[in-house]
């Protein structure tokens, strides 16, 4: 049984976090894994929407969310947060973007800050294909339509009408139950 | 094309645990406005409840932020596969129940403590041990700490489980902290750093609100040692005076990237929102127990007179 680490306070992430990290074998070992994820997180903050392979996208999503949540919780005067931002963002103007643009954008959010959408698989088979990782609130047109349900679709029209009829019938039956008592007298 | 189903195979328990974590966090509609400072020292031992308003205007009871240092065993094991909200809640109830019977005081690694245990084999039926706390760990009812002392020139360490019903009394003789969270290097240190008399009496604290940090730098015996202390970035030991090749090899095997691994840190910690919830649940009872004991202590000597 392990005791939770108390040295840092972290915000709860609003994405699904898997219990074990992916290893991403590379000639440099674990240092290489973090170097590649660093490049992905930098690109995400720079371009706000990137297309890449699904496994790396999912790992980078976690790190990006952690970075943004730390920046929101602690602000730019916090030494540790600034060190993390300095490490994870290769281009230094992106540190400015993180604290001055992304933090005010995501301060009031109750959901996750990134979105991971599955992309095309260029060849059939059982492997994770591509994915599109984007920061929410980006200026590009949406990848998926905003709402799925429209009230003017035929089946929605029919359902709404059926619900209305049910409510009316129920109200009538309630009044019928109370009326016979009154009419007898 | 965008709605491709991806076959993901993980065990049922894993899927449940992280979907529940996701669902629970998404369902929180109120963002807590209480700013918790990241404090690496134990702050003031304040007894005041902090009440914050949430969006609906109702007061939300929140425990002071120092609680996580005073009662770290109330936080569950961060390993995701073993999280179970119901089990943790039941465990906290049992812990509070035990704490209502026996006083488990606030202590840290580096504090000198005396523990009395019920022992059927000893003539008094009680066994008492005094020592310095070199490590503490475990979560929930399995929380433990190790006391070390040198008795008749023989180093002795005993691991006590804090919530074991055999424990009769836990007393903190000297409440202080050291520069490291784990004092395992005392095993390789000169014996005078681990020797404490069994007749030691409880020392009165000069300042009740701040736990002092003892900045002592311990001298180690000459090598061989039980662990490679030069690789562990210890603050509380004197200069190890090793040949340069030890430090070079330590640099080769070091993992400096782990400091920046945000997800590794996340998987080792309980998020602040969860910590708040846990301590909010628990702190009123803890404070009531504390208050009752204080009153009893004040009445005790006066009623004897």
């Amino acid at each position: 049984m392990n005791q939770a680490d108390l040295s840092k306070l972290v915000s709860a992430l609003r994405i699904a976090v898997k219990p074990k990290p992916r290893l991403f074998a590379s000639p440099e070992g674990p240092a290489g894994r973090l170097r590649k994820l660093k490049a992905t997180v930098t690109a995400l903050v720079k371009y706000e929407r990137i297309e890449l392979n699904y496994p790396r996208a999912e790992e980078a999503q976690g790190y990006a969310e952690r970075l943004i949540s730390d920046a929101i919780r602690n602000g730019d005067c916090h030494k540790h947060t600034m060190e993390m931002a300095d490490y994870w963002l290769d281009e230094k103007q992106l540190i400015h973007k993180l604290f001055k643009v992304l933090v005010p954008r995501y301060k009031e959010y109750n959901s996750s800050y990134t979105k991971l959408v599955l992309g095309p698989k260029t060849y059939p088979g059982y492997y994770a294909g591509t994915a599109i990782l984007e920061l929410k609130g980006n200026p590009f047109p949406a990848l998926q339509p905003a709402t799925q349900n429209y009230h003017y679709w035929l089946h929605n029209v029919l359902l709404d009408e059926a619900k209305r009829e049910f409510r009316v019938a129920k109200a009538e039956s309630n009044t019928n139950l109370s009326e016979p008592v009154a009419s007898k007298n | 094309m965008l709605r491709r189903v991806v076959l993901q195979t993980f065990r049922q328990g894993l899927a449940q645990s992280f979907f529940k974590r996701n669902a629970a966090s998404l369902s929180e509609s109120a963002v807590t406005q209480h700013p918790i400072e990241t404090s690496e020292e134990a702050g003031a031992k304040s007894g005041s409840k902090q009440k914050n308003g949430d969006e609906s205007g109702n007061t939300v009871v929140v425990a002071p932020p120092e609680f996580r240092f005073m009662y770290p065993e109330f936080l569950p094991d961060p390993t995701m596969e073993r999280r179970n909200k119901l089990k943790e809640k039941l465990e906290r109830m049992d812990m509070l129940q035990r704490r209502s019977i026996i006083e488990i005081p606030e202590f840290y690694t580096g504090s000198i403590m005396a523990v009395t245990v019920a022992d059927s084999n000893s003539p008094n039926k009680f066994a008492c041990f005094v020592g310095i706390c070199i490590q503490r760990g475990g979560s929930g009812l399995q929380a433990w700490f190790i006391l070390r002392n040198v008795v008749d020139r023989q180093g002795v360490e005993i691991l006590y489980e804090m919530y074991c019903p055999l424990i009769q009394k836990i007393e903190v003789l000297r409440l202080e902290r050291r520069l490291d969270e784990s004092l395992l290097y005392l095993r390789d240190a000169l014996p005078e750093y681990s020797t404490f008399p069994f007749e030691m009496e409880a020392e009165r604290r000069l300042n009740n609100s701040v736990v002092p940090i003892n900045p002592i730098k311990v001298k180690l015996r000459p090598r061989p040692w039980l662990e490679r202390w030069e690789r562990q970035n210890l603050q509380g030991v004197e200069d190890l005076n090793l040949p340069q090749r030890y430090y070079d090899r330590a640099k080769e095997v070091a993992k400096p990237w782990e400091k920046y691994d945000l997800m590794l840190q996340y998987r080792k910690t309980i998020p602040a929102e969860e910590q708040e919830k846990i301590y909010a649940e628990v702190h009123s009872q803890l404070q009531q127990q504390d208050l009752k004991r204080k009153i009893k202590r004040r009445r005790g000597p006066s009623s004897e007179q």
Side-chain angles (χ1 to χ4, degrees):
Chain A
M1 288 287 267
N2 308 310
Q3 213 169 66
D5 184 31
L6 299 173
S7 53
K8 309 263 173 332
L9 268 178
V10 299
S11 304
L13 293 185
R14 299 177 188 120
I15 51 167
V17 176
K18 293 207 171 97
K20 295 253 153 66
R22 287 189 178 82
L23 289 178
F24 291 132
S26 89
E28 298 155 37
R33 169 180 177 273
L34 276 195
R35 186 182 57 78
K36 289 184 179 174
L37 284 169
K38 221 198 317 181
T40 312
V41 169
T42 307
L44 176 66
V45 172
K46 181 173 180 181
Y47 298 112
E48 296 200 26
R49 179 186 284 174
I50 51 174
E51 183 177 349
L52 66 167
N53 287 328
Y54 180 80
R56 176 149 314 143
E58 198 179 25
E59 289 292 304
Q61 190 191 21
Y63 288 98
E65 293 266 341
R66 275 283 287 122
L67 191 64
I68 297 172
S69 73
D70 266 1
I72 292 173
R73 174 174 277 274
N74 298 322
D76 54 357
C77 293
H78 191 242
K79 186 178 169 207
H80 183 256
T81 309
M82 194 44 104
E83 274 178 17
M84 294 296 124
D86 184 47
Y87 177 85
W88 281 97
L89 301 169
D90 288 327
E91 291 168 35
K92 299 310 157 189
Q93 75 263 27
L94 293 176
I95 301 177
H96 187 90
K97 181 179 175 183
L98 170 71
F99 288 108
K100 301 291 179 195
V101 174
L102 298 182
V103 164
R105 193 199 288 182
Y106 295 127
K107 232 182 158 90
E108 309 300 323
Y109 265 52
N110 289 323
S111 66
S112 59
Y113 314 124
T114 57
K115 189 165 184 188
L116 186 62
V117 177
L118 297 177
K121 277 170 79 168
T122 48
Y123 199 81
Y126 291 106
Y127 68 98
T130 56
I132 296 138
L133 183 58
E134 61 170 8
L135 293 176
K136 287 186 183 169
N138 63 60
F140 308 120
L143 285 169
Q144 291 159 323
T147 49
Q148 310 298 322
N149 298 322
Y150 295 96
H151 67 93
Y152 48 76
W153 286 352
L154 178 62
H155 60 274
N156 284 336
V157 168
L158 295 171
L159 278 169
D160 286 342
E161 197 51 42
K163 283 179 205 166
R164 203 177 67 81
E165 276 181 21
F166 177 78
R167 276 200 300 274
V168 164
K170 196 158 186 199
E172 274 176 25
S173 73
N174 281 345
T175 50
N176 283 342
L177 277 173
S178 54
E179 265 179 27
V181 180
S183 65
K184 271 180 195 171
N185 300 335
Chain B
M1 186 177 79
L2 289 173
R3 224 162 284 296
R4 175 164 52 88
V5 170
V6 174
L7 279 173
Q8 290 177 333
T9 50
F10 14 81
R11 282 174 281 150
Q12 201 61 17
L14 287 183
Q16 278 174 8
S17 65
F18 76 74
F19 280 129
K20 273 182 191 166
R21 196 174 191 161
N22 191 22
S25 51
L26 283 177
S27 65
E28 281 169 19
S29 53
V31 176
T32 50
Q33 291 136 15
H34 177 60
I36 296 181
E37 272 114 350
T38 314
S39 56
E40 300 193 49
E41 323 255 272
K45 189 179 176 184
S46 61
S48 62
K49 255 188 248 180
Q50 292 176 22
K51 293 203 174 183
N52 291 343
D54 66 358
E55 281 169 7
S56 59
N58 303 326
T59 48
V60 175
V61 169
V62 168
E66 312 80 46
F67 262 54
R68 68 184 209 274
F69 298 109
M70 282 159 58
Y71 309 107
E73 72 273 8
F74 278 93
L75 295 177
D77 187 346
T79 316
M80 272 182 227
E81 291 106 325
R82 295 193 207 135
R83 294 294 307 273
N84 183 328
K85 292 264 168 76
L86 180 63
K87 174 222 177 199
E88 286 153 25
K89 196 169 169 81
L90 292 173
E91 211 165 2
R92 283 196 291 274
M93 281 165 60
D94 283 345
M95 286 158 79
L96 288 171
Q97 162 69 15
R98 178 68 189 161
R99 274 177 180 265
S100 69
I101 295 167
I102 221 191
E103 188 197 354
I104 300 175
E106 171 196 3
F107 67 95
Y108 304 92
T109 307
S111 308
I112 300 163
M113 301 160 66
V115 175
T116 322
V117 182
D119 185 4
S120 51
N121 299 323
S122 82
N124 316 352
K125 304 296 177 193
F126 293 116
C128 180
F129 188 75
V130 169
I132 183 170
C133 176
I134 58 171
Q135 206 181 26
R136 71 182 289 186
S139 53
L141 290 166
Q142 293 173 350
W144 50 263
F145 58 91
I146 304 179
L147 294 185
R148 177 182 170 82
N149 206 337
V150 174
V151 177
D152 288 343
R153 302 202 297 182
Q154 171 65 54
V156 176
E157 286 179 15
I158 305 188
L159 186 149
Y160 290 104
E161 287 182 343
M162 280 152 71
Y163 294 90
C164 176
L166 292 173
I167 290 184
Q168 306 298 307
K169 187 178 186 197
I170 303 177
E171 199 186 348
V172 172
L173 304 175
R174 189 191 303 166
L175 179 66
E176 64 178 14
R177 298 172 78 187
R178 290 283 185 100
L179 296 169
D180 300 302
E181 282 309 309
S182 156
L183 298 178
L184 296 176
Y185 53 78
L186 289 178
R187 294 169 182 164
D188 284 326
L190 298 172
E192 63 240 30
Y193 294 101
S194 315
T195 324
F196 302 95
F198 269 62
E199 299 76 30
M200 191 168 168
E201 282 180 11
E203 291 170 19
R204 290 209 58 162
R205 281 169 74 184
L206 294 167
N207 184 357
N208 245 359
S209 56
V210 173
V211 176
I213 298 180
N214 189 347
I216 192 171
K217 298 254 180 193
V218 158
K219 235 182 256 178
L220 297 188
R221 284 198 303 258
R223 278 194 321 108
W225 293 328
L226 289 164
E227 288 183 42
R228 297 180 212 258
W229 303 117
E230 73 276 7
R231 294 187 186 180
Q232 288 187 28
N233 191 26
L234 301 171
Q235 304 299 314
V237 288
E238 266 192 21
D239 190 24
L240 298 169
N241 280 329
L242 291 169
Q244 185 57 32
R245 63 171 197 276
Y246 284 89
Y247 301 111
D248 294 339
R249 182 70 185 138
K251 268 205 192 113
E252 278 171 44
V253 300
K255 299 180 187 175
W257 57 84
E258 273 193 2
K259 176 183 170 196
Y260 302 104
D261 196 335
L262 295 168
M263 288 307 285
L264 183 72
Q265 282 169 21
Y266 186 73
R267 290 185 177 104
K268 277 197 223 164
T269 51
I270 304 290
E273 290 88 345
E274 267 195 72
Q275 284 193 19
E276 263 179 71
K277 265 197 207 155
I278 289 169
Y279 287 119
E281 197 187 301
V282 153
H283 91 295
S284 61
Q285 287 205 39
L286 285 169
Q287 277 184 338
Q288 273 174 28
Q289 288 170 2
D290 202 25
L291 205 64
K292 273 186 202 161
R293 289 206 175 94
K294 272 193 190 141
I295 294 169
K296 222 179 178 181
R297 251 178 267 154
R298 267 182 233 149
R299 270 195 215 143
S302 61
S303 66
E304 274 164 15
Q305 285 169 5

